[in-house]
Amino acid sequence: MRKKVVSMLLATVMAASMLAGCGNGSSESGGDAGLGEGSGTSDEAYDLTLYSINTTDPEFDQWLDNVEEATGLNINVIAAPTDSDTRQQKITTILSTGDASVDIIEINDEMSSAFKNSGWLEGLNDTVMTEEIVDNFAKGYVENMITDKDGNIIGVPGYTGYLAFWVNQEIMDEVGITSIDTKEDFMKYMEAVSGDGRYGYGGSWEKTYVFNEIAQFVNMFGGDYFDWTKEENKEAIQFLYDMVQNGQTPIDQIADKYEQMNPKANDGKYGCWFMWGLGTDYESAGMLGADKIHMAMVPSFTEDGSRYIFTDSWNYVLNSASKNKEAAIKFLQYMADEGGMKASYECFDRYPARTDVAEKVVPDSDPAKEMYSRYATECTVSGRPMLPQTMEFITDMGTIFQSCMQGDISVDEFCTNAQELVDKYSE
């Protein structure tokens, strides 16, 4: 626990100052302004300071040792708050005030959307995310999530995580359906599976989560999340509404986040669903496997056979105010390279963001490898559609979606309201 002990001691020594948050990664902990260049103990100088979300991981110190040994850098670490709202507030404050105490920060897609055009983050095209490196990342994700309006790439993805399509093979075998490849296959599966408290499809429809699935179905129908005048968008929402009316997906899931959804999937309540991650919750319940719960190819709902999938990531970004940019670039180059991605995969179970690296470092025994490889090559991969006021946009879209699914507003009214929200948050 070497690095975290350093931060804890520093917080104790300076408890009366603004550094009260350099703690051990518990809820509400995290760094504030005031950590200058070379901060830490009085007899130790650091090459850079990293604001990290991973300090509570049991393998964090192993990962940090790997990075320091490979780069020759001495890295100070500040634990980011585990509470998402607190974390975003602190990071916003650091960047917006030109605070140079933190050099490298890990940010999620929501923050990337909010910050990428702010001027607070250093462009990495010429130093880290060069053309030959970028070609190995998901093109749609890079363009959608970490490229600013001037074409500057402002982040290094720390992993790739697909909003994968999951099926319960036991239920598929029970109803005699061998594949869910088209919209027609999907509808047949809904009809065959649903009944007696079981549903063909399950979702996480809590208002701040359902954004993922709305966007996924809009894509599957060939729509455009930012253009709710398109008939394909309306078809997607009508399809979801009809599933509720037909008892093929439950309306009570409007209260469910992924934490509530996964136990229901393990209990056999759903025939299929979309979910982030590699199935850790299913594995813990003894339900992960080719004969139980597993990833499958995303169905094609369009006549041309197109398949669509979202990927997400946390990105390492460089604070424009950093006074340690040479060291920071060295760190970022390692994280974008094979060694850094291998270390993250081995310590944090973070699937490599580069397809060429994943092919080399992920063993064939990893159950995600085959499907992740197929997603990368057979699907149109993109980042989720977000606007700068990300959480406000997500929450408002989720609220009107829930109203529509409950029958409080019509599908047409939902589409009208959705376009108004796009216009409002695009200003």
Side-chain angles (χ1 to χ4, degrees):
M1 304 301 288
R2 172 173 56 86
K3 288 292 176 182
K4 281 189 280 185
V5 169
V6 168
S7 289
M8 289 174 67
L9 288 173
L10 179 61
T12 302
V13 171
M14 305 187 71
S17 74
M18 294 179 66
L19 294 176
C22 298
N24 62 358
S26 62
S27 182
E28 303 301 324
S29 69
D32 273 283
L35 278 178
E37 181 178 357
S39 60
T41 56
S42 59
D43 59 350
E44 184 171 10
Y46 291 97
D47 297 305
L48 65 87
T49 294
L50 167 68
Y51 199 78
S52 177
I53 61 168
N54 290 310
T55 56
T56 57
D57 191 287
E59 303 300 323
F60 179 79
D61 288 331
Q62 178 183 331
W63 172 84
L64 186 60
D65 286 341
N66 172 286
V67 174
E68 290 186 321
E69 181 177 354
T71 61
L73 297 170
N74 192 24
I75 301 173
N76 183 40
V77 177
I78 299 176
T82 55
D83 176 74
S84 59
D85 290 337
T86 304
R87 180 173 58 239
Q88 183 152 346
Q89 290 169 7
K90 287 180 178 288
I91 292 174
T92 301
T93 299
I94 290 169
L95 293 174
S96 65
T97 59
D99 178 4
S101 65
V102 176
D103 305 295
I104 300 292
I105 304 174
E106 290 181 77
I107 65 173
N108 59 15
D109 289 344
E110 290 83 350
M111 285 188 275
S112 293
S113 296
F115 300 155
K116 66 181 180 181
N117 292 314
S118 64
W120 301 339
L121 304 174
E122 192 82 1
L124 305 173
N125 302 51
D126 298 329
T127 55
V128 181
M129 298 295 279
T130 56
E131 187 174 341
E132 62 272 20
I133 296 293
V134 171
D135 284 346
N136 296 297
F137 290 89
K139 180 180 179 181
Y141 178 83
V142 171
E143 292 178 350
N144 299 152
M145 305 311 306
I146 55 174
T147 301
D148 71 14
K149 64 182 185 301
D150 297 320
N152 299 306
I153 300 173
I154 52 82
V156 176
Y159 66 93
T160 192
Y162 289 108
L163 184 60
F165 184 59
W166 294 83
V167 299
N168 186 318
Q169 190 63 45
E170 292 177 336
I171 294 176
M172 290 185 69
D173 292 343
E174 175 195 325
V175 299
I177 289 181
T178 57
S179 67
I180 309 171
D181 192 57
T182 65
K183 182 171 70 172
E184 290 70 28
D185 293 339
F186 188 94
M187 294 172 70
K188 288 179 182 176
Y189 190 52
M190 296 301 101
E191 294 172 2
V193 168
S194 302
D196 298 324
R198 187 172 71 182
Y199 300 90
Y201 181 78
S204 174
W205 284 9
E206 192 273 339
K207 65 181 179 181
T208 61
Y209 280 62
V210 70
F211 155 78
N212 295 288
E213 291 182 42
I214 304 171
Q216 176 63 37
F217 275 88
V218 165
N219 271 3
M220 289 166 67
F221 275 86
D224 179 346
Y225 198 78
F226 294 134
D227 184 0
W228 287 92
T229 66
K230 292 179 70 70
E231 187 63 27
E232 293 87 349
N233 290 36
K234 179 180 176 181
E235 288 182 55
I237 302 303
Q238 187 69 55
F239 188 83
L240 293 168
Y241 179 78
D242 289 345
M243 281 202 293
V244 172
Q245 296 304 303
N246 295 332
Q248 296 166 349
T249 197
I251 190 59
D252 61 8
Q253 66 194 9
I254 62 173
D256 288 354
K257 300 180 178 181
Y258 296 133
E259 294 86 344
Q260 291 80 44
M261 179 182 169
N262 275 329
K264 296 177 182 180
N266 281 326
D267 290 341
K269 185 173 182 176
Y270 305 133
C272 64
W273 59 95
F274 285 96
M275 178 62 64
W276 299 104
L278 302 176
T280 303
D281 286 354
Y282 314 137
E283 184 175 26
S284 298
M287 287 298 295
L288 184 67
D291 60 340
K292 296 178 181 178
I293 292 174
H294 63 86
M295 293 181 197
M297 177 50 63
V298 180
S300 170
F301 278 24
T302 59
E303 292 183 2
D304 64 3
S306 298
R307 303 178 194 276
Y308 299 89
I309 197 166
F310 288 120
T311 185
D312 80 332
S313 188
W314 283 76
N315 285 272
Y316 294 101
V317 297
L318 173 53
N319 182 358
S320 291
S322 168
K323 293 179 173 29
N324 302 306
K325 288 182 181 176
E326 184 176 346
I329 292 297
K330 192 172 186 179
F331 171 87
L332 292 171
Q333 287 172 336
Y334 183 65
M335 298 318 299
D337 204 356
E338 179 179 335
M341 293 203 171
K342 182 179 181 182
S344 293
Y345 172 72
E346 292 177 345
C347 294
F348 304 142
D349 290 330
R350 290 176 135 193
Y351 201 89
R354 284 177 51 173
T355 54
D356 60 330
V357 171
E359 187 60 34
K360 292 175 65 175
V361 308
V362 179
D364 292 340
S365 58
D366 188 317
K369 185 173 185 178
E370 179 183 357
M371 193 52 63
Y372 265 43
S373 178
R374 290 188 62 194
Y375 285 158
T377 57
E378 298 178 31
C379 297
T380 297
V381 181
S382 61
R384 291 168 294 166
M386 295 182 181
L387 294 172
Q389 296 182 63
T390 307
M391 290 312 301
E392 294 88 343
F393 181 46
I394 287 172
T395 301
D396 286 355
M397 287 290 285
T399 299
I400 63 171
F401 176 82
Q402 289 184 346
S403 294
C404 180
M405 293 301 106
Q406 294 178 99
D408 296 332
I409 62 174
S410 69
V411 171
D412 284 332
E413 289 172 317
F414 170 85
C415 293
T416 298
N417 294 342
Q419 189 60 49
E420 290 174 354
L421 291 175
V422 170
D423 295 340
K424 173 183 176 181
Y425 290 114
S426 296
E427 296 176 351

